[in-house]
Amino acid sequence: MKNIKDYNLEELKQELVKIGEKPFRAEQIFKWIFQEKVKSFDEMTNISLELREKLKKEYTICNFNILKKQESKDGTIKYLFDVLDGNAIETVLMSYHHGYSICVSSQIGCKMGCKFCASTGINFIRSLTSGEIVEQILAVEQDTGIRISNVVFMGIGEPLDNYDNVINAIRIINNPKGLNIGARHISISTSGLVPKIYKLAEENIPCTLSISLHATTNEKRSKMMPVNDAYPIEELIKACKDYIKKTNRRISFEYALAKDNNDNKEDAKELVHLLKGMLCHVNLIPINKIENGSFTKSSNENIMKFRDYLNDHGIVATIRRELGSDIDAACGQLRRKNLRQNGDGANLSQSVK
Ligand code: SAH
């Protein structure tokens, strides 16, 4: 059956017209789902019983179950959700002084193979639907009673490899009759799928684009991120310049610092050379070591030196605060966990050791 949360408002109007209803009904249903956050058609009290029955025959309302919830010392909460087909995904809620941010997953597994990321090495299962992406926000808001103000696509998966569903999810999140979170409060992070960056620039959605850059030469970047073989740095930067020109939005470059790999003065110098004159910001991430990973975190001293070098040479750079590292919820630590199908449904086993 079709999940009603998969439709943006325009699509839902078309769906309702198809079953002989007036488009305004779609607005009512959309508000019930994304603003009142109801979990069943029966709660939609201004919809006639007859229409509710009709809807139940055509659609389901997918509501995730929480399989596991871990809270960090710093208040970060990591959720493991049952996506109702035997798979599970992780979502992270972070608290900042300016509000709550949610880090959502876009796929079950990831195809990109970045060497420093915990989502690597696990099988790619499938992309999430737009309803499943939005449901992560609804489920966390329902569980905590808080209102989320920022959404970052930095969980498991490559959002631009699930382009249509991610864009559709953003339309739902962004709609004033939906979750009503402004596009400027939504960030998409990509490992650098160049053709999709050009496409995103044409969407007229002023969300923030984050580029996982991490290195300044093709040799180094390819060793960290195989996607660089398909879309090398010069093509990536060209696409970023096009994005900035068309959207007038500042790009955020993510740079995870790994000891003796990409954290010396020469790297900082090359980074300045690469980004000079671009409307951008650099987000330095102390790399989180993953199990069996060969990259280790740079020293605090090196991280600060790196930041200072960039700032002194006209590139705005900040160091990302590490949140949730004690519950494996920090950048790159998320990984798909399998549901063990043994009847009780709640036992978990990690798919990869
Ligand atoms: N696939 C997308 C989004 C998911 S990763 C992307 O590549 O951007 C979100 C961010 O965490 C990316 O910048 C990614 O490079 C970074 N990241 C992954 N593993 C990390 C690790 N071990 N330490 C620090 N950052 C990491």
Side-chain angles (χ1 to χ4, degrees):
M1 261 216 280
K2 302 182 273 189
N3 173 13
I4 200 144
K5 290 179 182 168
D6 279 335
Y7 299 95
N8 69 38
L9 184 54
E10 286 317 305
E11 291 169 339
L12 195 58
K13 283 182 185 166
Q14 287 163 20
E15 285 290 302
L16 278 240
V17 168
K18 264 195 252 164
I19 57 168
E21 296 292 332
K22 293 256 166 10
F24 82 93
R25 291 280 173 220
E27 277 192 19
Q28 291 177 318
I29 296 166
F30 199 75
K31 281 186 182 164
W32 276 117
I33 291 173
F34 298 111
Q35 300 203 326
E36 301 302 324
K37 305 183 176 70
V38 299
K39 292 188 165 189
S40 68
F41 290 111
D42 288 328
E43 291 165 82
M44 302 182 181
T45 47
N46 60 357
I47 306 286
S48 71
L49 271 176
E50 193 196 342
L51 178 53
R52 280 188 235 162
E53 289 309 313
K54 222 162 150 186
L55 292 170
K56 280 187 217 168
K57 286 201 190 97
E58 296 265 335
Y59 308 97
T60 56
I61 302 186
C62 130
N63 302 304
F64 288 167
N65 301 316
I66 300 174
L67 291 169
K68 203 172 168 191
K69 185 176 161 186
Q70 283 174 279
E71 201 158 344
S72 153
K73 290 198 287 283
D74 60 34
T76 301
I77 304 176
K78 181 169 79 171
Y79 289 89
L80 182 69
F81 288 119
D82 169 9
V83 299
L84 312 176
D85 66 351
N87 287 297
I89 49 157
E90 292 182 316
T91 305
V92 179
L93 176 71
M94 295 158 292
S95 145
Y96 293 97
H97 61 272
H98 56 266
Y100 290 97
S101 274
I102 189 169
C103 177
V104 295
S105 292
S106 54
Q107 296 180 312
I108 306 177
C110 185
K111 296 182 209 159
M112 295 301 121
C114 300
K115 298 284 188 283
F116 48 87
C117 179
S119 303
T120 286
I122 54 180
N123 295 336
F124 172 79
I125 304 233
R126 66 174 174 87
S127 284
L128 294 177
T129 68
S130 36
E132 290 170 328
I133 293 169
V134 180
E135 173 59 11
Q136 296 171 64
I137 307 171
L138 294 175
V140 170
E141 286 196 339
Q142 272 159 347
D143 181 56
T144 55
I146 58 143
R147 167 101 173 98
I148 285 163
S149 48
N150 290 279
V151 180
V152 298
F153 284 84
M154 290 194 183
I156 299 169
E158 167 50 52
L160 296 190
D161 185 41
N162 183 18
Y163 189 88
D164 291 342
N165 292 345
V166 165
I167 295 298
N168 205 39
I170 291 177
R171 295 198 195 287
I172 297 169
I173 295 168
N174 196 210
N175 195 309
K177 294 182 176 116
L179 284 166
N180 195 19
I181 298 175
R184 281 159 202 274
H185 296 275
I186 302 171
S187 294
I188 298 184
S189 181
T190 179
S191 56
L193 299 187
V194 165
K196 297 290 163 54
I197 295 173
Y198 284 109
K199 200 168 170 198
L200 187 64
E202 306 288 344
E203 294 288 350
N204 204 16
I205 303 175
C207 57
T208 301
L209 180 64
S210 290
I211 303 286
S212 299
L213 186 62
H214 305 317
T216 52
T217 64
N218 283 324
E219 194 193 347
K220 230 178 237 185
R221 192 166 188 267
S222 286
K223 277 192 191 143
M224 299 175 82
M225 308 176 69
V227 65
N228 192 69
D229 293 337
Y231 306 113
I233 292 176
E234 38 314 334
E235 283 182 33
L236 179 58
I237 295 295
K238 206 167 138 211
C240 290
K241 287 184 175 160
D242 174 80
Y243 186 87
I244 295 167
K245 197 167 152 215
K246 291 207 175 110
T247 63
N248 208 21
R249 297 283 293 148
R250 187 174 77 157
I251 286 188
S252 177
F253 286 98
E254 311 290 309
Y255 194 99
L257 289 155
K259 188 165 170 251
D260 300 330
N261 172 57
N262 59 354
D263 67 341
N264 66 33
K265 196 171 166 188
E266 216 32 57
D267 296 298
K269 219 175 186 172
E270 279 165 4
L271 192 53
V272 169
H273 181 69
L274 195 64
L275 304 183
K276 197 91 196 165
M278 276 174 87
L279 184 62
C280 70
H281 167 266
V282 173
N283 221 330
L284 298 170
I285 318 171
I287 209 162
N288 289 300
K289 187 161 172 31
I290 55 161
E291 242 172 85
N292 303 326
S294 52
F295 298 102
T296 50
K297 197 177 283 191
S298 302
S299 65
N300 283 346
E301 192 193 338
N302 269 9
I303 294 172
M304 285 190 286
K305 269 196 206 154
F306 202 95
R307 176 200 56 195
D308 293 344
Y309 186 92
L310 297 182
N311 283 329
D312 290 346
H313 291 80
I315 304 286
V316 182
T318 47
I319 301 169
R320 180 180 288 168
R321 230 172 92 211
E322 288 172 275
L323 290 175
S325 51
D326 55 332
I327 54 165
D328 279 353
C331 293
Q333 292 185 325
L334 299 188
R335 48 190 187 169
R336 179 181 61 80
K337 306 239 175 98
N338 267 344
L339 259 179
R340 204 187 289 147
Q341 304 269 23
N342 64 355
D344 65 14
N347 266 329
L348 304 170
S349 65
Q350 291 196 342
S351 57
V352 174
K353 291 288 167 210

